[in-house]
Amino acid sequence: MVKYFACVGLLRSSWDQVCMAFWQRYPNPYSNHVLTEDIIFREVTHGNCLVSRRLLTKTNRAPRWMEKYLPVTMARLAYIIEDSIVDPQARTMTTLTWNISHARMMSVEERCEYRMNPDNPSWTEINREAWISSNLYGLSRAVQVRPHPGHWRSMPQIGPGRLHWQLKRRPKTWPHRLRRNSSLSDLALVLTERLFPTLFPKGLVQSTVL
Amino acid sequence: MLFGQSDHMNSVGEGCTDLKREYDQCFNRWFAEKFLKGDRSGDPCTEMFKKYQHCVQKAIKEKDIPIDGVEFMGPNKDKP
């Protein structure tokens, strides 16, 4: 079973500024868990679009009781891939981010589309979607997450000059009610929150699970 | 620099961080000043990128990071 989420957000900065900040967003105060960042593929297509692949290494802050069930190399680290296409003609950027480690336990994909806000060309709108699924027995039924309908939300303006992307990591557009039936659902929620903290309000998983 | 943090990220290959930073600086400049403005003149960072890639791809193999065969935008292809 796949859980699907969607929301729309607004950045009070131009699409150009957002794209520039996208490549410079690490490190930032909310990303202490991101250890390494590498571009591992990049080219400009015949249509003058920039396609890139970024590899991220993040700490995997799994509970200690879980670590003994994970391979040693995966116990402490998680690998994330982020593919992106920047189209300067259409003024759009599409990104897809997903985990390539722990994927058998849980798969989380996040797709974002950034485009110029039609009502205000100096702002950028973000359409965000996420798919969460798990192959663990009993897990897909155990995890019950109900997102509220997405709505517009303003995000802090990115200032001129040096760009540090200070997007809040806990979007208020995705409040959730969580219901858990077993320790496996706890594991799923912890993994999801560790890999993709933007999907969950701050402290929600900890307060519910731990 | 804000919050006392370093300005730069490390590469997954410990010996590749300097090459990465050099390439990132070149890319960010080209991206802002040329690419986004529609300037299709050549990419000045090609040689730097090759050196960086040679280093990082070797590190990825040594660490057994499972990136082989992962299709571009792969997981999203079947989704509406």
Side-chain angles (χ1 to χ4, degrees):
Chain A
M1 187 167 77
V2 179
K3 288 294 182 185
Y4 174 75
F5 306 85
C7 78
V8 181
L10 193 63
L11 285 165
R12 290 183 184 143
S13 296
S14 70
W15 181 84
D16 286 47
Q17 284 182 311
V18 168
C19 288
M20 287 188 273
F22 180 76
W23 298 116
Q24 302 178 62
R25 76 178 189 274
Y26 298 115
N28 67 69
Y30 302 99
S31 71
N32 291 328
H33 58 294
V34 180
L35 301 175
T36 69
E37 172 212 25
D38 284 287
I39 299 294
I40 61 173
F41 173 80
R42 177 170 273 157
E43 71 174 26
V44 178
T45 66
H46 288 304
N48 202 45
C49 290
L50 182 75
V51 295
S52 308
R53 170 165 283 181
R54 181 151 51 175
L55 173 69
L56 303 169
T57 306
K58 299 185 179 185
T59 55
N60 178 36
R61 292 170 289 175
R64 285 191 187 170
W65 59 264
M66 188 174 95
E67 286 183 359
K68 62 183 176 186
Y69 298 109
L70 297 172
V72 171
T73 51
M74 287 194 181
R76 299 287 167 91
L77 295 177
Y79 297 113
I80 311 280
I81 279 187
E82 173 202 85
D83 285 348
S84 59
I85 304 172
V86 182
D87 185 343
Q89 289 82 221
R91 275 328 200 233
T92 60
M93 176 168 68
T94 304
T95 70
L96 183 71
T97 311
W98 73 101
N99 58 304
I100 56 171
S101 55
H102 312 93
R104 285 185 190 170
M105 299 178 85
M106 170 161 289
S107 167
V108 182
E109 301 158 29
E110 181 191 57
R111 177 188 165 103
C112 298
E113 288 197 358
Y114 303 80
R115 52 182 71 236
M116 199 168 66
N117 179 246
D119 298 323
N120 187 338
S122 61
W123 291 1
T124 304
E125 66 180 52
I126 309 174
N127 283 284
R128 227 174 192 171
E129 297 173 282
W131 296 263
I132 302 177
S133 60
S134 173
N135 291 325
L136 285 179
Y137 176 74
L139 182 62
S140 56
R141 194 186 301 178
V143 175
Q144 300 281 330
V145 183
R146 294 183 185 176
H148 289 201
H151 58 270
W152 289 100
R153 173 182 173 265
S154 294
M155 294 188 180
Q157 180 174 8
I158 298 179
R162 180 151 185 92
L163 293 172
H164 283 274
W165 203 352
Q166 301 290 342
L167 282 178
K168 289 180 185 175
R169 294 295 187 173
R170 276 81 185 174
K172 294 189 176 66
T173 48
W174 289 6
H176 296 151
R177 278 183 291 129
L178 297 173
R179 200 187 305 156
R180 56 182 179 137
N181 292 344
S182 71
S183 61
L184 283 177
S185 68
D186 299 351
L187 165 64
L189 294 170
V190 168
L191 269 180
T192 307
E193 202 238 10
R194 296 292 184 263
L195 291 173
F196 289 88
T198 55
L199 293 177
F200 290 88
K202 181 178 180 174
L204 181 62
V205 173
Q206 282 92 338
S207 65
T208 305
V209 169
L210 299 173
Chain B
M1 190 185 308
L2 297 179
F3 303 95
Q5 284 186 303
S6 163
D7 256 356
H8 302 285
M9 288 296 292
N10 292 330
S11 169
V12 71
E14 289 82 7
C16 308
T17 296
D18 287 344
L19 292 171
K20 166 193 151 54
R21 289 178 187 178
E22 202 184 340
Y23 167 70
D24 282 347
Q25 277 180 351
C26 182
F27 168 78
N28 288 329
R29 195 177 308 121
W30 168 82
F31 185 75
E33 294 172 10
K34 303 282 184 188
F35 181 76
L36 287 181
K37 294 180 179 171
D39 185 335
R40 300 193 187 198
S41 59
D43 179 359
C45 312
T46 310
E47 285 311 307
M48 268 182 247
F49 188 61
K50 277 185 191 161
K51 286 183 196 166
Y52 167 43
Q53 286 304 291
H54 184 255
C55 186
V56 79
Q57 296 292 345
K58 186 161 169 270
I60 286 169
K61 279 196 171 53
E62 283 167 1
K63 291 177 188 255
D64 228 359
I65 299 173
I67 60 160
D68 281 340
V70 179
E71 221 178 332
F72 189 74
M73 297 286 198
N76 217 233
K77 284 216 163 128
D78 300 326
K79 296 189 173 65

